[in-house]
């Protein structure tokens, strides 16, 4: 995983997130996760909890739509982290 992603998370949230934490989350992500609103909602909540940044319902809906419309690869946790950290 790119150190840039971890640095962006730290800069945005003030919290260090380890690669181990990210890989632990990523291990539960399957390609089908990226197409399920309920699974994406759960994943966003997990990432939000990891970095201790609340995500509003409207932001969550925007993230879900962006993820689903991007056809993001289910194995691309780094790309997902970048999207969430931009919000």
């Amino acid at each position: 995983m790119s150190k840039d992603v971890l640095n962006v998370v730290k800069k945005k949230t003030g919290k260090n997130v380890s690669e181990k934490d990210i890989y632990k989350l990523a291990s539960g992500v399957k390609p089908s996760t990226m197409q399920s609103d309920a699974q994406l909602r759960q994943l966003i909540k997990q990432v939000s909890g990891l970095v201790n940044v609340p995500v509003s319902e409207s932001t969550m809906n925007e993230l879900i739509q962006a993820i689903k419309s991007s056809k993001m690869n289910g194995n691309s946790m780094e790309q997902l982290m970048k999207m969430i950290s931009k919000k």
Side-chain angles (χ1 to χ4, degrees):
M1 170 166 294
S2 168
K3 295 290 183 196
D4 292 341
V5 173
L6 300 176
N7 290 333
V8 167
V9 170
K10 182 178 180 181
K11 183 178 176 184
K12 292 267 187 175
T13 66
K15 181 173 181 184
N16 284 321
V17 177
S18 72
E19 286 185 60
K20 181 180 174 184
D21 292 335
I22 301 299
Y23 284 120
K24 184 177 177 182
L25 267 179
S27 68
V29 177
K30 299 175 179 75
S32 61
T33 302
M34 297 302 165
Q35 297 307 313
S36 166
D37 284 11
Q39 290 179 9
L40 281 171
R41 194 170 295 282
Q42 182 62 33
L43 179 59
I44 292 166
K45 286 179 182 179
Q46 289 174 321
V47 172
S48 171
L50 179 66
V51 296
N52 198 27
V53 174
V55 177
S56 70
E57 188 65 27
S58 63
T59 299
M60 189 168 304
N61 291 335
E62 288 176 28
L63 286 167
I64 290 169
Q65 291 309 309
I67 292 165
K68 289 176 81 172
S69 67
S70 73
K71 306 296 184 209
M72 185 186 303
N73 180 329
N75 296 322
S76 184
M77 183 58 107
E78 182 173 345
Q79 188 178 359
L80 179 60
M81 290 295 293
K82 284 181 181 178
M83 288 179 75
I84 291 172
S85 67
K86 288 180 183 178
K87 292 293 179 182

